Amino acid sequence: MRNRPNIPGFIAITVLVFFYLPIFYLVMQSFNEARFGGPWRGFSLQWYALLFDRPEVWRAVRNTLIVALSSTAISTVLGTLAAWCLHHYRSRLQQSHYVLVYAPLVFPDLLMGISLLLLFINLGYPLGLGTVILAHITFCISYVAFVVLGRLQDFDYNLIEASQDLGAGWATIIYRVLLPVMGPGILAGALLALTLSIDDFIITFFVSGPTSATLPLYVFGMMKQGSPTIINALCTLFMLATFSIVIWGQRYLYRR
Amino acid sequence: MNKPNRYVEWLLSVPTYVWLIVFFVFPTFIILWIGFKPATLNGGIDEGWTLQNYREIFSSNYTPILLRTLSISIWTTVICILIAIPVGYWLARLPARIRYWMLLLVILPFWTNMLIRIFAWKTILHPEGFIKNSLVFLGIVEPNATLLYNEGSILIVLVYTYLPFAILPIYAAAEKFDFGLLDAAADLGARSWEAFLRVFIPGIKLGLITAVLIVFIPALGSYAIPDIMGGSTSEMLGNKIAQRTFTDRNLPQASALASLFAVVVMTPVLVYQIRRSLQ
């Protein structure tokens, strides 16, 4: 075995190069002075300056934050409740509940997008930030529920009975026992919801209105028409933002 | 003890239950329902019932698009799985410390926005991009050849996007695999590739099934990738659904296409997954 070429290792390294090459190229190009990308013409921050001059960028950032924060808050509460029920009760109701929470995970985004669009059209509900938030809550619930459910598997229910025996009321139990034990799981679910919401393109594409473009929609619009170098700069900053959330989350969550 | 519990259970389950019925189950039935409605000329939905939308889908107009969607998705899945198996194997056999970092390296691109990944490839494959220039320099392609806007460029970006999703379940299965079995097979006279195919591959079967589903279904429903990387002759189902929805404003036709997708693809998957998870 020892002297043979390590074929899986070779493939894996090639795959990592394949993964990172486009990203590095994009980041590099965002600092390239050349107008249309291509060969290197020297370091420049002009594309970033041009980017910050655009009011639409700031509006897209604001929309993204409004949508991501509100849908994360609501889906975290709903998803945590669902996880608690799925973990704690064994009944017919929970079997169907499980299917209901599970199904959106395997449902293609495109179908969720068009079906929500038709729902809002049929209800006569105007498309805008409100419909985007409703849609984001819907797809985030299942992710939060399954992340929290995963952490709950280690939860010892005796803790609750012990605190009841010691005279704790439900409010005390929730605050002093449940939240500390479930906290990391809930936070992990919330971070996942946050990044999914910030990143979502297809569902938002279907249910957003004329003034509710989020960052991914704005990037998409720019790709269709616009200076590629400014998009490089925007993508670089966007990537930096998501990576910071993920890395911060990793450090925070896996510290024991 | 049992009675108040039941009451609390209902109270706690109602929020998600109702939410998902209103915003997930009900909308799915709406597309099934509108697929049988006639379209009005000004983009609305007419009274009455019709099979016209489905007749249109099964007419020859849609056949190339449906076949292309299917073939591009199958190719994406096959390529992703063939690459993900050795990578998953390699990851599972690494020493624990290095493995953690390598796993992080594999997952990290998954956190970049899909549009950013598409755009990065568009820049690279661009007529002035460096892959094109390198290939021309090496004499592999003609200087006026175009690498963009065809099925090949769609395929590259689909593989690029879904490969991490294929690697993770295969790695998770390989990590639980007992590699002593490979040594045992070798002791019994199996060559290493034989042991790999007949012991390792069956050993990670469940991971493989998950990987196939996790790549194939989103590939079938992809919209942004073929829209940006493909040309007018390489449209996929997702492009057609979006086009019928936004450009032609023919919602019944879009619904019929979406319903067909939902019923044909999702029913077997849901039944399989639900049965497995209830076991």
Side-chain angles (χ1 to χ4, degrees):
Chain A
M1 230 10 216
R2 212 146 277 150
N3 294 322
R4 299 240 321 272
N6 181 353
I7 298 170
F10 176 74
I11 295 175
I13 300 298
T14 316
V15 164
L16 286 178
V17 172
F18 173 65
F19 275 170
Y20 285 93
L21 198 72
I23 298 176
F24 281 125
Y25 187 70
L26 184 140
V27 173
M28 190 192 85
Q29 286 298 339
S30 76
F31 297 108
N32 189 353
E33 207 179 306
R35 178 107 177 78
F36 295 106
W40 184 256
R41 290 263 166 73
F43 182 86
S44 156
L45 286 175
Q46 55 174 322
W47 310 116
Y48 288 88
L50 276 176
L51 182 69
F52 288 129
D53 278 345
R54 297 192 163 199
E56 313 96 82
V57 175
W58 295 107
R59 199 187 317 140
V61 169
R62 199 200 59 161
N63 284 344
T64 302
L65 286 178
I66 294 175
V67 169
L69 292 176
S70 44
S71 57
T72 300
I74 299 173
S75 64
T76 303
V77 174
L78 290 173
T80 305
L81 276 179
W84 174 256
C85 295
L86 292 174
H87 174 73
H88 187 54
Y89 300 106
R90 296 271 168 277
S91 63
R92 269 277 166 76
L93 179 74
Q94 296 309 326
Q95 276 184 7
S96 54
H97 196 194
Y98 186 94
V99 173
L100 211 50
V101 177
Y102 184 84
L105 291 179
V106 286
F107 210 61
D109 288 357
L110 182 81
L111 290 181
M112 199 182 258
I114 187 171
S115 61
L116 281 167
L117 171 71
L118 288 171
L119 173 79
F120 297 134
I121 288 178
N122 274 287
L123 293 178
Y125 199 85
L127 298 178
L129 278 183
T131 49
V132 176
I133 292 173
L134 288 174
H136 281 216
I137 295 171
T138 309
F139 72 76
C140 286
I141 287 178
S142 307
Y143 287 96
V144 174
F146 277 94
V147 170
V148 177
L149 189 63
R151 298 293 176 98
L152 273 174
Q153 311 293 0
D154 317 323
F155 182 72
D156 184 1
Y157 193 71
N158 289 327
L159 275 178
I160 290 188
E161 280 171 0
S163 26
Q164 271 176 330
D165 289 345
L166 293 170
W170 270 108
T172 322
I173 292 178
I174 289 176
Y175 261 107
R176 311 283 299 262
V177 183
L178 276 180
L179 280 184
V181 174
M182 292 169 70
I186 298 176
L187 193 65
L191 281 175
L192 184 62
L194 190 71
T195 44
L196 287 172
S197 168
I198 292 176
D199 267 349
D200 178 72
F201 166 68
I202 295 192
I203 297 175
T204 318
F205 178 69
F206 274 94
V207 300
S208 72
T211 55
S212 58
T214 56
L215 257 180
L217 281 191
Y218 184 69
V219 172
F220 182 73
M222 272 178 96
M223 273 183 203
K224 294 249 146 183
Q225 43 176 344
S227 160
T229 20
I230 295 185
I231 312 178
N232 287 336
L234 180 59
C235 288
T236 304
L237 291 177
F238 193 176
M239 224 157 27
L240 202 68
T242 358
F243 280 170
S244 332
I245 297 178
V246 173
I247 289 168
W248 178 81
Q250 292 262 335
R251 286 186 51 171
Y252 194 77
L253 293 172
Y254 295 116
R255 199 175 51 195
R256 292 228 158 202
Chain B
M1 183 74 190
N2 260 335
K3 275 231 159 106
N5 254 354
R6 190 93 190 120
Y7 176 70
V8 174
E9 179 190 352
W10 273 89
L11 205 68
L12 294 178
S13 308
V14 156
T16 37
Y17 219 96
V18 171
W19 187 285
L20 289 173
I21 286 187
V22 172
F23 291 106
F24 177 67
V25 178
F26 185 55
T28 309
F29 282 104
I30 290 184
I31 52 171
L32 295 176
W33 170 64
I34 292 181
F36 291 105
K37 289 289 190 184
T40 61
L41 285 173
N42 57 1
I45 297 155
D46 218 347
E47 298 289 313
W49 300 92
T50 177
L51 283 173
Q52 185 53 36
N53 303 316
Y54 284 93
R55 252 183 246 130
E56 197 120 325
I57 293 176
F58 292 111
S59 74
S60 50
N61 294 350
Y62 282 97
T63 321
I65 288 167
L66 295 177
L67 287 179
R68 186 183 306 123
T69 307
L70 204 61
S71 93
I72 292 181
S73 308
I74 291 174
W75 274 110
T76 307
T77 314
V78 169
I79 297 172
C80 281
I81 298 290
L82 285 182
I83 300 176
I85 290 173
V87 177
Y89 173 90
W90 176 75
L91 280 170
R93 300 215 79 170
L94 282 177
R97 269 198 78 83
I98 310 175
R99 194 199 301 166
Y100 172 81
W101 290 107
M102 287 300 151
L103 204 56
L104 200 67
L105 275 182
V106 170
I107 299 173
L108 213 54
F110 155 90
W111 290 109
T112 57
N113 189 284
M114 187 177 65
L115 294 171
I116 298 181
R117 282 175 273 173
I118 303 173
F119 189 70
W121 274 100
K122 197 177 173 180
T123 331
I124 285 191
L125 296 177
H126 193 265
E128 303 291 316
F130 93 102
I131 288 207
K132 170 74 185 299
N133 289 340
S134 328
L135 290 179
V136 170
F137 179 75
L138 293 171
I140 298 175
V141 300
E142 297 286 313
N144 56 1
T146 156
L147 302 174
L148 273 171
Y149 312 123
N150 53 45
E151 290 173 27
S153 53
I154 297 179
L155 195 61
I156 291 179
V157 181
L158 278 173
V159 169
Y160 183 71
T161 307
Y162 294 117
L163 191 53
F165 294 90
I167 293 176
L168 287 183
I170 289 179
Y171 158 73
E175 198 204 7
K176 296 196 191 82
F177 180 77
D178 176 7
F179 285 99
L181 291 175
L182 289 184
D183 298 332
D187 289 345
L188 292 171
R191 267 173 275 219
S192 58
W193 59 266
E194 252 178 328
F196 189 82
L197 285 183
R198 296 179 59 180
V199 180
F200 180 69
I201 298 290
I204 57 165
K205 201 179 93 189
L206 283 181
L208 284 173
I209 295 176
T210 311
V212 167
L213 292 180
I214 231 170
V215 174
F216 186 63
I217 296 173
L220 279 176
S222 50
Y223 164 70
I225 297 174
D227 192 57
I228 296 169
M229 300 304 293
S232 54
T233 55
S234 44
E235 281 185 316
M236 289 173 71
L237 179 63
N239 305 87
K240 264 290 172 250
I241 295 181
Q243 190 190 328
R244 291 284 173 265
T245 308
F246 296 109
T247 319
D248 316 340
R249 203 63 187 174
N250 186 341
L251 295 175
Q253 184 70 65
S255 301
L257 280 169
S259 312
L260 188 76
F261 182 26
V263 171
V264 173
V265 182
M266 295 313 296
T267 316
V269 174
L270 281 179
V271 169
Y272 168 80
Q273 291 281 8
I274 288 165
R275 273 174 55 189
R276 211 176 84 184
S277 54
L278 286 182
Q279 264 164 22

